[in-house]
Amino acid sequence: MKFKAAIWQRPDLNGARLCRRPAAAIRKLLRLTLRAQPRSAKIRIRALPAIFNPAVGAAIFLFVGMNDPAQQLPVGHATDFTSNQYFEPPHGQQVKMKLSGAEALPLPGGLLDVRQLRVETFALDGKTEVVVRAPQCTYAPLDGVANSAGHMELHSGDGRLHVEGDGFLWRQTSSSLTISNHVRTLIDMPGATMSGT
Amino acid sequence: MNKIIFLLMMVVGGVVLAQTNLPATKVKAPAKPKAPTEINSDAADFHMNIHQAIYRGHVVVVDPQVRMTCTWMLVDLPTGGDHLNHVLAVTNVVVDFVDQKGQTNHVTAAQAVYDYKVVGAMTNETVTFSGNPIVEMPTMTIYSEPLVWDRAANKYHFTEPRMISKDTGTNGPAQKLF
């Protein structure tokens, strides 16, 4: 069980930083987005209003992993979406993180309202490391922060660690998770001694 | 002919009855799985990069053998199926457990450090209490700074302990208890 894998990939903003006008940079990113060719049919796009809103469009673009052009790029209101993030070369064919949700709605300020979030991280050997589930969360792609006042659950791939609580804040840059209320952790320790009794 | 059929039926019926009356084979009851360690708290921070969890506020740890409460606790989360190997509990640490003699042990301290280490064939599992540690047992109360509870050997290690027997209520001299 390892926790080193980041659940959210920080967006690459190099292009935006180089530009003196952020709006122009976002429009440039959007043009790149529209040129990208989706590979999978798993993502159903209902509408494309976000492409006319540079901030939201860029946010959604970044949300699904701007670092990997091979990823799917839901724009606007997406349902039953899945997005895979891959390891760096030479393991570029192996999935590092699989993010899925029942629904993603764009919010003002470049935020996303994600429903039935499920994030799975994988080790290089393909084993599941961590699974995180939350019925709802708000994600700020530009800041790399996700939060929710609702319930969340985390469990390790080997089933030995289970964490749940209410209200969470995930900071992508530091790979840290803060749970605000009613935290409950179960740790199943192998070979624990029966001494002390 | 009827007699032969009757005898055959009796024989077959007897075999069937004999089979149904076979004593039930003893099935070994499966080993009871050890209950997991449960940690409850008001809030918590999980630092995935360094495999560390910090629990804050009304921390309660319930283990099959031990119950502990404190205000703040740091846990090095086990990786790769390893055993939990380091826990630091701070502020108002209270540990309760029942020893091998069936006596209740109530330990209080400002800080407790749990360490689990396997060196060769030896397993070292200790809890080191500091900050005015006190052990209360049904018959006595023991003060020691620090106080080490060797969970692997089921022993306390005291440093210049002071014992108060609850039978006499007298403050006895320092004694070698274990």
Side-chain angles (χ1 to χ4, degrees):
Chain A
M1 180 181 57
K2 294 175 182 176
F3 287 91
K4 63 185 177 182
I7 290 181
W8 303 98
Q9 184 69 32
R10 185 168 180 77
D12 180 4
L13 295 174
N14 288 337
R17 287 197 191 101
L18 291 172
C19 184
R20 288 183 181 177
R21 293 186 302 160
I26 291 169
R27 278 197 293 274
K28 184 181 176 185
L29 288 173
L30 276 174
R31 283 198 294 276
L32 292 172
T33 307
L34 295 171
R35 286 174 195 155
Q37 295 297 316
R39 282 184 184 175
S40 166
K42 282 185 178 176
I43 299 168
R44 300 201 309 268
I45 300 171
R46 279 187 177 170
L48 300 172
I51 60 171
F52 303 110
N53 181 334
V56 175
I60 295 171
F61 174 49
L62 295 167
F63 166 61
V64 295
M66 193 178 71
N67 291 335
D68 188 348
Q71 290 181 43
Q72 305 310 308
L73 308 171
V75 180
H77 178 193
T79 58
D80 295 332
F81 65 91
T82 299
S83 175
N84 292 335
Q85 178 189 338
Y86 295 87
F87 281 99
E88 297 293 321
H91 306 287
Q93 299 298 313
Q94 291 174 260
V95 177
K96 181 181 182 183
M97 184 194 77
K98 182 178 173 183
L99 184 150
S100 58
E103 200 172 13
L105 295 161
L107 296 173
L111 305 175
L112 287 169
D113 182 5
V114 181
R115 301 299 169 102
Q116 301 302 328
L117 173 77
R118 181 183 171 93
V119 178
E120 288 175 86
T121 63
F122 301 92
L124 271 173
D125 59 5
K127 286 182 181 172
T128 302
E129 285 188 329
V130 175
V131 179
V132 179
R133 289 185 299 179
Q136 183 273 334
C137 85
T138 302
Y139 180 52
L142 295 173
D143 298 327
V145 172
N147 69 80
S148 170
H151 193 72
M152 66 84 60
E153 289 183 13
L154 177 153
H155 65 262
S156 59
D158 60 8
R160 295 196 182 279
L161 178 72
H162 177 88
V163 181
E164 63 180 314
D166 297 325
F168 71 90
L169 172 67
W170 165 257
R171 296 180 192 89
Q172 175 188 334
T173 49
S174 58
S175 290
S176 65
L177 170 72
T178 296
I179 303 177
S180 311
N181 299 290
H182 312 121
V183 186
R184 181 170 178 256
T185 303
L186 294 173
I187 303 174
D188 192 1
M189 288 186 287
T193 64
M194 295 299 286
S195 57
T197 57
Chain B
M1 184 66 181
N2 283 342
K3 278 185 180 175
I4 294 170
I5 292 172
F6 177 74
L7 284 171
L8 274 172
M9 286 177 70
M10 289 293 285
V11 169
V12 171
V15 169
V16 169
L17 282 172
Q19 283 177 345
T20 53
N21 288 335
L22 282 173
T25 52
K26 283 185 180 177
V27 180
K28 231 179 185 180
K32 200 175 180 181
K34 185 179 175 292
T37 300
E38 181 172 341
I39 304 169
N40 293 298
S41 68
D42 290 344
D45 299 300
F46 296 87
H47 302 282
M48 311 301 193
N49 288 339
I50 52 175
H51 313 294
Q52 209 169 64
I54 293 172
Y55 295 90
R56 295 178 276 118
H58 300 99
V59 182
V60 180
V61 182
V62 181
D63 181 84
Q65 292 92 43
V66 182
R67 175 188 165 87
M68 186 186 81
T69 61
C70 64
T71 304
W72 186 95
M73 186 173 75
L74 182 149
V75 177
D76 283 340
L77 294 167
T79 58
D82 291 343
H83 195 284
L84 191 69
N85 57 31
H86 183 75
V87 177
L88 168 64
V90 177
T91 310
N92 297 327
V93 180
V94 179
V95 175
D96 289 289
F97 68 94
V98 178
D99 64 20
Q100 285 182 321
K101 295 172 186 171
Q103 287 186 326
T104 55
N105 285 240
H106 179 76
V107 187
T108 57
Q111 180 175 298
V113 180
Y114 170 84
D115 282 305
Y116 178 91
K117 198 181 289 180
V118 177
V119 181
M122 289 287 292
T123 300
N124 296 319
E125 187 178 16
T126 59
V127 183
T128 304
F129 298 94
S130 58
N132 194 28
I134 303 168
V135 188
E136 286 184 69
M137 288 183 268
T139 54
M140 67 184 86
T141 301
I142 304 162
Y143 302 83
S144 169
E145 181 76 53
L147 166 65
V148 180
W149 173 26
D150 187 339
R151 291 195 68 190
N154 291 304
K155 281 182 182 176
Y156 283 117
H157 298 286
F158 299 104
T159 304
E160 296 180 5
R162 191 162 61 88
M163 184 187 77
I164 297 175
S165 173
K166 287 187 177 176
D167 294 337
T168 59
T170 55
N171 189 351
Q175 294 181 24
K176 193 74 176 175
L177 296 167
F178 297 95

